[in-house]
Amino acid sequence: MPSNKKPSKLESVSRALRTLGAGNRTLLRSSDEQELLREMCRVITEQGGYRLACVGYTQNDENRSIQWMECAGMDKEQLQALVPSLIASDGRTPFGTAIRTGKPSVARRVFTNPAFAAPAYARLMELAKAKGYASTAAFPLQLEGEILGAIVIAAADPEGFDDEELELLNELADDLAYGIANLRMQIKHRKAQEAIAHLAYHDSLTDLPNRTYLHKQLEEAIQLAKRQHHPLALLYFEVGQFHEINEILGHRSGDQLIQQLAQRLAEAAKPGEFLARIGEAAFALLLPITGADGAAREAQRFLEVLHEPVEISGLTIDAPVAAGIALFPGHGTDAEVLLRRANAAVDRAKPARGRYAFYRGQEQENARRLRLVGELQRAIERNELRLYCQPKVAIPSRQLSGAETLVRWEHPLHGSIDTGEFIKLAEQAALITPLTTWVLEAAFRQGYVWHEAGLHRPLSVNLSVHDLRDSRLIERIQGLFSTWGLPPELIQFEITESALMEDPKTGLDTLTRLKELGVELYIDDYGTGYSSLSYLQKLPVDWIKIDQSFVMPMVESGDSALIVRSTIELGHNLGLRVVAEGVESQALWDQLAAWGCDVAQGFFVGKPLPTDTFDDWETQWLRAQT
Ligand code: C2E
Ligand code: CA
Ligand code: CA
């Protein structure tokens, strides 16, 4: 209980100790500066039994104004009005002295102290009398060598604050200063962390959230969507030709373009939609609780916003933006997959400006293709390919006239891969040369085996458009003829009409050089490449192979029948022999026979077979003819 009685020495030390202990607990508990000051003042008066405790910070302005931060035992505003600055209080109060000297300062018997007789202190003295502050002490708050302010404590006892008490309370003031410094440091630290976090989660050019942030946000949105059973959409906007724009106009203009587009997107985004810049020329927009319809509408709306040309340093630039959409859960159930798929969908929207497209699974396709390409390369190296042969039979005599080599890939994991597909992949991935080389070697080896066995079975090898451009192809084939010692009539080549038409001159040159080896040549898939009659006349070929797409429907389709029939006639008029492929039935065989077609190939005759079962096929076939 506060009392006017002079406390004993023990009492004064013990109240100071009590205050110190409670003050330290306060220090540990407080998490912000204002709260710390308020609690400290409260503890000093309530636990320590002092009459007054006030903390004032001094400003470094002309008047050395004081900001009274917290007060217990009197009204803070009243004190502020009374002692607004050091100048106003003449600086001789313990507070002023503590600030000036950096040391504790005490004033005892204040009512009779001549130092406070001056008119400047009149109102202060009135207050002291009214409240019974007979002695006051002030303790500086030093922060990093600077004096931030002081804490004033007043006691009812006119002889209060002996040295020991002063020392203990000064310790409390030091602890308080330490606490303030600590809290301020925490704030600085938090701000630095926030700045770092901002940097880590934002794009510096546009200040939009970056890819990392989007990823985090998307993951959270997905979790929520899973719990609440609703869909969400991810839109991926890509600025096309950005590198060209950068190159032509410079990087600064490129940056400005991105900034302007970012601003438009940000303005168009509705509350709840999360926009991010996730790549050099790519933005993503996360739409919570949105299905296909809503996503399409939003994509349309944003693309319209982006459609307006952009003005950059006096130039009007048309930035071709396209959008891809992926939906949770239909297209993916995790953030990474959705992002990849929205990105993949952009490719379907491109190159048309202002278009959007939904994910359609082409990414899976691409990934699979990519994987197959890698595996195909290994398959070639590790000899995982197989050479199959499909018989060709002369229609009038029903005798075997030869066989077409068809490559097969028995994938160790996925089983047999469609030949048409991996041939196309090989062509796209520049793997056709090793593949053709493999087939050539296999065909020559097989040709040698049959030749040695006294069998006359010419083998035809398919060549791709890339093979026609391969300058070493002829050399390689020559080398194989030398190696195996095969007569030229046992190896033939099939080249599709469309491959020839891709580069008619190179096609003609290569065929001419092949022909010089003495081999027979086929125009494969005839009818699908639209070669002119004059070109056809120049080609040094021996056979025309009518594509199965005309042959197979020829019984029902008058058009196909006409094409097949006239191709047979044309071939014969040019002095060529004609093969029909895709002969699947007796009816087709009969029709072709009636039209004078020379050779048939197809399931009716025989399917492509592993070379070691070819003998069995031939035995069966010959038996069936008798
Ligand atoms: P292609 O040269 O037109 O080969 C004929 C294709 O028709 C083969 O398909 C064959 O299995 C199929 N076929 C044969 N008779 C019939 C029939 O009666 N009905 C039906 N429905 N189909 C029949 P395959 O083996 O899948 O080959 C597809 C294509 O891949 C080939 O078409 C050829 O262009 C290419 N190809 C195959 N092997 C090779 C190769 O070793 N090198 C190159 N460059 N291309 C090859
Ligand atoms: Ca062929
Ligand atoms: Ca064909």
Side-chain angles (χ1 to χ4, degrees), residues 197 207 371 375 427 512 546:
D207 209 37
R371 204 189 61 232
E375 290 176 333
E427 281 172 346
T512 306
I546 310 171

Side-chain angles (χ1 to χ4, degrees), residues 390 404-408 418-420 423 432 435-436 439 462-464 467 494 524-525 547-548 552 581-584 601-604 608:
Q390 187 176 31
E404 177 179 15
T405 62
L406 294 162
V407 66
R408 292 290 180 265
D418 177 61
T419 302
I423 293 290
I432 204 70
L435 185 116
T436 301
V439 174
N462 290 284
L463 295 179
S464 285
D467 294 317
E494 301 190 7
D524 201 357
D525 292 355
D547 192 62
Q548 61 194 25
M552 291 193 307
E581 69 174 18
V583 182
E584 288 191 339
Q601 179 184 348
F603 295 171
F604 175 68

Side-chain angles (χ1 to χ4, degrees), residues 78 260 400 508 532:
Q78 199 185 354
Q260 290 201 27
L400 180 73
L508 180 58
S532 68

